[in-house]
Amino acid sequence: MEFLTRFAKDYVRHASALMKQSQEMVARGLNPAKTLTPDNSFVMDVTSSLTAAFREAVIDPSKVMQDNSQLAFRYWQLTQNVALNLLRQPVDPVIAPERSDHRFDDEAWTRNPLYYAIAQMYLINSEYLEKLTDDLDGLTDDNRRQLNFMMRQFISALAPTNFFITNPEAVRKCRETWGLSVVKGLENFYRDIMRSRQLLNVSMTDDQAFEVGTNIATTPGDVVYENRLFQLIQYQPTTEKVHQTPLLIVPPFINKYYILDLTPENSLVRWLVSQGHTVFIMSWVNPDESYRETTFEDYVQEGVLDAMGAVEAATGERELNTIGYCVGGTLLATALAHLKKTGDNRVKSSTFFATLLDFEDPGEIGVYLNSATVKALENYIEKIGYYDGRFIALSFSSLKENSLIWSYFVNNYLKGEPPLPFDLLYWNSDSTNLPAAMYKYYLREMYVNNKLREPNALTIADTPIDLSSIDTPAMFISAQQDHIALWKSTYAGYQLFSGEKRFLLGQSGHIAGIVNPPEPGKYGYYMNDTEADTPENWFDGTSHHEGSWWPNWQDWVSKFQGKEVEARIPGDQELDVIESAPGRYVKKRIF
């Protein structure tokens, strides 16, 4: 009786919330977007790839016929297996999912004849479609990459696990909760609809479980400088003595800086402070339409160069060490080339985390960055004055659609489960907008035209940019499974520099390969101090090391950190404390 009472209360509570959300949706209206979204532009641009694929299939139908024969054979095998399954005979799958594919882990996919047949048909058809696109000859690299990407999105979207009736876990959950899971799923769906703009933004984590400055981004520090583009945080020392040379971190302006300060256990910032560094980090503004005319050059001059000047004012030290992460590294390298041209040698060392400088192969994100799509993107952001950060997040999530989109779709909507609290996913969903002028320049000059690698092809602050002129000691740290900044592409950027340099390859991906603290010893890294002509040849000469690369970097940077001096307290030099870390800028969210 107590269970029924509690269940009834839960049902009424969630049903009432669902009804309220439905009324709010109707009151607000869900009119289709009148502006062209980036994703619409991509759909419009796939026609050339489809046309090329059809042409190749007509010209040489032999491989298509072979693929069709293989498909027929697979279905003949499946027919036999289903018959045996109906007789409760053990059968091996005609085709097994990949080890990393956990969509079909539930035992119903093998024990229940209907679900067994559905799963096998899906996997057989998926194999057929993938092989069909791979076997088409005569496609350009762009057409092939776009066609493969589009086919994979189509296959992933039509997985039986994404539909209630053909998902045994969702059906079982509905039966066990007497339908309450369906009500909760609709409530989750409507909540996401209400917070989305133009496209459904599926929640990945419980946004209410985290607060910046309370349980993430908690390393003690103070904002000591700010302008319209960034706040500069100086962290409190935890050692009696610190290294003479301060350290400036330039994070990406896509997402927030606190990926490097998520929790105390995973915080690179906290670890750097414990090593005796006087650490400064830039916290970029989350721009709106008023930043429409802000340029890439502004991000270099009013961003990186102003931050360097502020570090000098805060410490009294002209020289400094620097770290750039992802596009922050692209900014840093541009600033270094500018400083080199002007004869400014204040930077003693530079470190680049997962940084692209040569954009010839940007990876799968290139499907969104061909000339036609970029033109549509430019038209879109010109209308509103900025690029909505949630579109960027969705674009990157689509590169790993099953783990970053569909798994949450199933969990939240079909099973009616609340998204679990996860600090990394909270950061991932805390997107930032990008100014129109800056982003248009970055897309076209870096990704499309790839001019940054060409000596003197770009001009910043009246100085031609030549990365090959940079002889500042540099260390490049990339990640082996990085799908955003492919490590072989980052190696091409490393080759552009002159002077002392080192390339290190961490295991795992774009985040975990960088945020890899020493204590857990989770991922290792590869080292080879000899530069090779190709990334493959470099890797062949590497040695593998267990554990985090952080101590290895500390050994390297120790040559540039200077003598020990008294610990510096924020506000004890020319710059006054404006407010406590993490500051105001990082707390502005997109809604």
Side-chain angles (χ1 to χ4, degrees), residues 36 374-384 440:
L36 181 66
V374 168
K375 184 174 178 59
L377 282 171
E378 289 173 339
N379 293 335
Y380 161 72
I381 60 179
E382 188 62 35
K383 290 178 181 178
I384 63 173
K440 286 164 60 179

Side-chain angles (χ1 to χ4, degrees), residues 445-562:
E445 302 301 346
M446 308 294 180
Y447 275 98
V448 178
N449 298 329
N450 196 16
K451 285 187 177 180
L452 185 60
R453 70 173 180 179
E454 299 177 18
N456 305 321
L458 299 177
T459 299
I460 296 291
D462 299 322
T463 59
I465 299 302
D466 182 2
L467 298 186
S468 66
S469 70
I470 301 175
D471 56 6
T472 305
M475 187 169 184
F476 284 72
I477 299 165
S478 299
Q480 194 173 19
Q481 282 83 45
D482 195 334
H483 66 291
I484 295 172
L486 303 183
W487 80 265
K488 293 181 181 179
S489 294
T490 64
Y491 187 86
Y494 152 81
Q495 291 178 300
L496 295 173
F497 278 36
S498 57
E500 178 189 341
K501 56 185 176 180
R502 172 184 290 183
F503 191 87
L504 182 150
L505 183 62
Q507 293 179 303
S508 194
H510 191 71
I511 302 301
I514 302 301
V515 184
N516 181 24
E519 286 73 20
K522 193 171 183 181
Y523 303 114
Y525 61 94
Y526 296 90
M527 278 287 298
N528 179 4
D529 286 333
T530 303
E531 183 177 353
D533 56 343
T534 66
E536 292 83 4
N537 289 339
W538 175 88
F539 188 79
D540 288 341
T542 60
S543 57
H544 180 262
H545 301 263
E546 297 291 341
S548 172
W549 56 263
W550 292 6
N552 183 292
W553 174 86
Q554 176 56 42
D555 289 342
W556 176 80
V557 83
S558 64
K559 296 180 294 183
F560 315 107
Q561 63 194 19

Side-chain angles (χ1 to χ4, degrees), residues 402-419:
N402 283 325
S403 58
L404 293 179
I405 297 177
W406 292 114
S407 63
Y408 298 102
F409 180 93
V410 171
N411 180 79
N412 300 358
Y413 307 153
L414 303 190
K415 297 181 184 178
E417 297 284 355

Side-chain angles (χ1 to χ4, degrees), residues 1-302:
M1 188 66 181
E2 182 181 350
F3 165 76
L4 290 176
T5 302
R6 188 170 64 251
F7 175 82
K9 288 181 178 179
D10 284 344
Y11 197 96
V12 170
R13 176 165 57 89
H14 288 286
S16 299
L18 178 60
M19 184 175 296
K20 181 180 178 181
Q21 289 172 343
S22 302
Q23 291 171 344
E24 289 175 353
M25 283 176 57
V26 172
R28 190 184 71 170
L30 294 177
N31 296 325
K34 296 181 180 179
T35 58
L36 181 66
T37 70
D39 301 84
N40 286 342
S41 67
F42 171 72
V43 171
M44 291 169 61
D45 188 55
V46 301
T47 53
S48 63
S49 297
L50 291 173
T51 301
F54 179 77
R55 182 185 65 247
E56 293 303 320
V58 171
I59 292 174
D60 183 12
S62 59
K63 290 185 177 180
V64 175
M65 294 175 64
Q66 291 175 7
D67 293 336
N68 287 340
S69 298
Q70 177 69 16
L71 177 67
F73 178 71
R74 291 288 201 192
Y75 269 102
W76 177 77
Q77 289 178 302
L78 178 60
T79 302
Q80 292 182 313
N81 282 10
V82 169
L84 292 172
N85 199 307
L86 287 168
L87 297 173
R88 298 288 188 259
Q89 298 294 318
V91 292
D92 293 327
V94 174
I95 180 171
E98 296 180 2
R99 283 187 179 181
S100 59
D101 186 355
H102 298 288
R103 293 174 296 176
F104 302 100
D105 285 353
D106 192 89
E107 63 177 11
W109 293 111
T110 54
R111 295 185 60 181
N112 184 296
L114 176 61
Y115 285 125
Y116 171 82
I118 291 173
Q120 287 294 286
M121 289 172 62
Y122 169 75
L123 293 172
I124 289 171
N125 291 333
S126 299
E127 178 192 54
Y128 168 74
L129 291 173
E130 289 172 352
K131 196 168 188 308
L132 191 65
T133 54
D134 288 340
D135 285 344
L136 293 174
D137 294 326
L139 299 178
T140 66
D141 290 341
D142 285 345
N143 282 151
R144 184 174 299 282
R145 179 165 55 186
Q146 194 175 59
L147 189 62
N148 286 339
F149 177 82
M150 181 182 63
M151 187 60 70
R152 200 187 73 218
Q153 299 301 317
F154 175 76
I155 290 169
S156 297
L158 292 182
T161 47
N162 297 338
F163 301 90
F164 178 81
I165 296 298
T166 53
N167 188 316
E169 294 178 82
V171 172
R172 187 185 309 120
K173 185 83 173 179
C174 176
R175 186 172 61 248
E176 291 173 350
T177 61
W178 295 2
L180 182 59
S181 64
V182 175
V183 176
K184 289 181 177 179
L186 286 171
E187 183 183 355
N188 292 339
F189 176 71
Y190 281 178
R191 184 186 301 117
D192 285 347
I193 285 272
M194 294 295 292
R195 71 180 187 86
S196 297
R197 181 183 298 179
Q198 297 178 331
L199 294 171
L200 176 62
N201 199 339
V202 184
S203 295
M204 294 184 181
T205 187
D206 181 3
D207 286 346
Q208 304 305 312
F210 301 99
E211 183 179 357
V212 176
T214 300
N215 54 1
I216 49 177
T218 59
T219 300
D222 297 282
V223 175
V224 295
Y225 176 84
E226 69 180 36
N227 62 22
R228 71 187 186 102
L229 284 184
F230 74 97
Q231 289 188 312
L232 185 68
I233 300 171
Q234 179 181 353
Y235 289 95
Q236 297 280 355
T238 58
T239 55
E240 291 185 6
K241 300 284 187 177
V242 296
H243 308 308
Q244 180 182 3
T245 309
L247 175 64
L248 171 65
I249 302 176
V250 184
F253 45 69
I254 301 173
N255 288 108
K256 306 290 181 65
Y257 81 86
Y258 63 85
I259 185 59
L260 298 176
D261 188 32
L262 273 179
T263 62
E265 298 77 19
N266 292 326
S267 173
L268 176 61
V269 166
R270 188 179 293 263
W271 185 85
L272 290 170
V273 171
S274 74
Q275 302 303 301
H277 293 283
T278 304
V279 178
F280 294 82
I281 196 166
M282 301 173 69
S283 175
W284 296 104
V285 72
N286 199 344
D288 53 26
E289 62 276 6
S290 66
Y291 285 78
R292 171 188 295 273
E293 302 301 329
T294 302
T295 64
F296 188 85
E297 182 174 301
D298 293 331
Y299 270 76
V300 174
Q301 288 188 286
E302 296 181 48

